Amino acid sequence: MQAYVEALADLFYPQWCIACEERASDVLCRACFDALPQIGGPTCDRCGLPTAFATPVCERCKNVDFGFESARAPLRYEGVGKEIVHALKYHGYTRLVEKLAAPLLSEALRGTAPFDAVVPVPLHRARLRKRGFNQAALLARGVAGQINAGVSDTLQVVRNTRDQVELSAAERRANVAGAFVAKARTRGRLLLVDDVLTTGATLGACADALVRDGGAAEVHAVTLCRTC
Ligand SMILES: [Zn+2]
Ligand SMILES: [Zn+2]
């Protein structure tokens, strides 16, 4: 009887919320959807940090040379935002990208000029083999579909980097310096995509490679979450 009821419920609620693992009719249940840590309101125009008033550059980023022109993120890296990144990174849910992440990313880009190509931050070959997919590539494909741009897989990791979790901002920059190359020329205005922005070191090293090897005119970044 129990199994029958569950099978019936599966017909109407065919999945589980990726954040709390309760049964849900969509990728997130209503409560987790309402708890999305959305970055609404004013932000720094340069780095996307939430600020009291809209500003072209904030206190936090005014002395930082990112290597990219601007960064945007729809979510803070906390709570349900963190759960979503986790689900994406370790399970590669494509439904999550289509239904939730891609619309959030394109919403965060609203008002920006069109991009010539969307470029995912690459994973090192060994990591890609182990994981089976690159979560940044899934996000890049999702957002490219929403903004009508092509995807370019021009970036490659040429040197494996350490896990950055324990590293300071300066250590992160040193860790990723020269770790990326662009194998093909990809000119124009490019959109770099990753799952999380922390210090911007990885995105910066990727942007450097796109300008140096690829001949990009300008590089902008979008990530699903950012630390605030
Ligand atoms: Zn939930
Ligand atoms: Zn800023």
Side-chain angles (χ1 to χ4, degrees):
M1 188 60 193
Q2 185 64 27
Y4 173 74
V5 171
E6 273 176 21
L8 238 165
D10 269 342
L11 278 177
F12 296 101
Y13 302 98
Q15 58 188 39
W16 285 264
C17 167
I18 55 104
C20 71
E21 291 167 0
E22 292 292 317
R23 226 178 254 286
S25 58
D26 219 317
V27 288
L28 285 180
C29 71
R30 186 74 223 180
C32 289
F33 184 82
D34 288 342
L36 273 175
Q38 297 209 51
I39 298 177
T43 60
C44 167
D45 203 36
R46 183 163 181 255
C47 74
L49 184 78
T51 44
F53 305 97
T55 172
V57 58
C58 70
E59 282 301 308
R60 189 98 68 91
C61 77
K62 68 177 183 190
N63 295 317
V64 184
D65 179 14
F66 286 122
F68 49 81
E69 306 289 323
S70 76
R72 291 289 176 276
L75 303 175
R76 293 167 189 264
Y77 189 51
E78 61 188 36
V80 179
K82 223 171 190 171
E83 297 291 345
I84 292 175
V85 169
H86 196 271
L88 188 67
K89 210 162 176 168
Y90 300 106
H91 305 289
Y93 291 138
T94 45
R95 266 178 65 78
L96 170 60
V97 175
E98 286 163 26
K99 304 270 276 184
L100 188 69
L104 282 171
L105 288 167
S106 70
E107 177 65 25
L109 293 168
R110 204 152 58 148
T112 57
F115 295 99
D116 294 298
V118 180
V119 184
V121 168
L123 266 190
H124 188 268
R125 278 191 308 277
R127 240 175 257 182
L128 185 60
R129 215 177 302 126
K130 208 168 145 201
R131 196 174 290 169
F133 61 90
N134 172 6
Q135 73 278 8
L138 297 178
L139 292 172
R141 271 162 187 73
V143 73
Q146 299 256 333
I147 64 171
N148 289 318
V151 176
S152 165
D153 287 311
T154 181
L155 284 177
Q156 251 182 349
V157 189
V158 287
R159 181 169 61 70
N160 210 349
T161 54
R162 289 165 59 196
D163 190 343
Q164 308 223 89
V165 175
E166 305 281 312
L167 305 183
S168 70
E171 286 170 334
R172 283 175 186 234
R173 272 195 293 279
N175 184 37
V176 293
F180 303 96
V181 294
K183 23 172 210 185
R185 296 201 64 78
T186 315
R187 289 170 214 247
R189 193 177 136 84
L190 307 184
L191 180 66
L192 195 53
V193 182
D194 205 0
D195 50 1
V196 184
L197 179 148
T198 307
T199 62
T202 301
L203 289 160
C206 287
D208 286 346
L210 288 171
V211 171
R212 182 192 64 221
D213 316 325
E218 52 183 283
V219 181
H220 297 262
V222 73
T223 59
L224 187 57
C225 295
R226 65 158 295 147
T227 54
C228 292

